[in-house]
Amino acid sequence: MKKFYVVSGDANGENIPYFFEMIWTPDLPVFDLPVASPDIKSFAKAYSVKADTEELKVDVLINDYLASVDFVELCESLETDFLTIPAEVILEDGKSPEKKYSFFCIKARAWVLSQEESVYDLTDDGLLRPKEDRAPGPVYERIDSFVMKSNVDYDLFYCEEIKQMVCSSRFKQEFESRKLSGLNFMAIDEGYVYAPWDDFGLD
């Protein structure tokens, strides 16, 4: 069976800064990725980005919607559905980084959990926003056993159940073989648990 991984950012304080301010010109449109992927019609044709850092070598800042040309080429090679727009990055000393960048946002999204085979708890509907203000489908409070459907064919996509990026082992292998940077991978296996409220010390 195909293996999948939860994808997250990999800030290390070296080639991937822990935090720095980015100012987009013109401003990026407002969108809510957990609800829906953005519409390209709401974006400008190109952007400039003032990055408050002396150096930028990372290939993808997934939570900041910035990706290098090399990362975009990887996604293109795997026929991933995504949105990309050229973005000229200007570092704090006025220089340009070695890599070329663009705005990047995944468009592929899917419900992939097999409810019949998985173990999970749904969030009480009374605790959620009104249905018209949230994405359609169930809201998972916890998933103790995440069994993927057998027909998932995406290599990189937004997983509706956990509201995070997920990739295939094929994508992970390509990312690592090209020596790209900026992502961590957590296997969705028998040891994987989705428990977002645990970080807040709640049961």
Side-chain angles (χ1 to χ4, degrees):
M1 180 178 287
K2 206 172 182 180
K3 291 184 67 174
F4 290 90
Y5 299 80
V6 177
V7 174
S8 60
D10 182 29
N12 59 21
E14 296 177 4
N15 65 316
I16 310 170
Y18 288 117
F19 172 79
F20 62 93
E21 184 180 13
M22 290 195 298
I23 300 174
W24 293 75
T25 305
D27 292 336
L28 291 175
V30 176
F31 60 91
D32 189 356
L33 190 59
V35 175
S37 299
D39 185 349
I40 192 171
K41 295 177 182 177
S42 61
F43 288 84
K45 292 183 179 179
Y47 290 91
S48 65
V49 183
K50 181 69 173 74
D52 185 23
T53 182
E54 295 180 356
E55 192 172 45
L56 192 64
K57 297 180 179 179
V58 64
D59 285 290
V60 57
L61 296 168
I62 202 75
N63 296 322
D64 294 302
Y65 305 105
L66 192 70
S68 72
V69 169
D70 293 332
F71 183 80
V72 171
E73 287 178 351
L74 163 61
C75 293
E76 289 175 338
S77 72
L78 297 178
E79 299 182 351
T80 303
D81 187 13
F82 61 92
L83 171 61
T84 183
I85 301 167
E88 180 187 9
V89 176
I90 305 167
L91 302 176
E92 65 179 13
D93 60 2
K95 295 181 180 179
S96 299
E98 294 181 9
K99 297 178 182 287
K100 299 294 184 184
Y101 290 93
S102 65
F103 170 88
F104 176 91
C105 182
I106 196 70
K107 289 179 66 180
R109 46 198 309 139
W111 296 91
V112 296
L113 179 137
S114 171
Q115 290 189 322
E116 295 79 12
E117 300 172 274
S118 301
V119 178
Y120 57 86
D121 292 319
L122 296 177
T123 302
D124 188 324
D125 201 57
L127 301 176
L128 301 172
R129 291 183 293 177
K131 288 187 177 180
E132 61 270 19
D133 294 335
R134 66 179 194 256
V139 177
Y140 291 85
E141 181 173 323
R142 184 181 180 93
I143 303 174
D144 288 291
S145 175
F146 194 130
V147 179
M148 303 281 288
K149 295 177 181 177
S150 60
N151 61 347
V152 180
D153 198 33
Y154 296 102
D155 284 304
L156 181 65
F157 63 97
Y158 188 80
C159 178
E160 297 281 16
E161 286 88 354
I162 63 174
K163 307 303 179 188
Q164 287 181 268
M165 301 293 183
V166 167
C167 77
S168 66
S169 55
R170 179 186 179 201
F171 180 94
K172 179 177 181 289
Q173 290 165 4
E174 279 294 315
F175 183 90
E176 293 172 342
S177 68
R178 298 181 188 216
K179 295 181 169 33
L180 301 182
S181 62
L183 296 180
N184 274 324
F185 302 92
M186 179 186 295
I188 299 177
D189 56 18
E190 63 278 358
Y192 173 74
V193 174
Y194 171 69
W197 295 111
D198 282 8
D199 291 338
F200 297 94
L202 300 176
D203 294 328

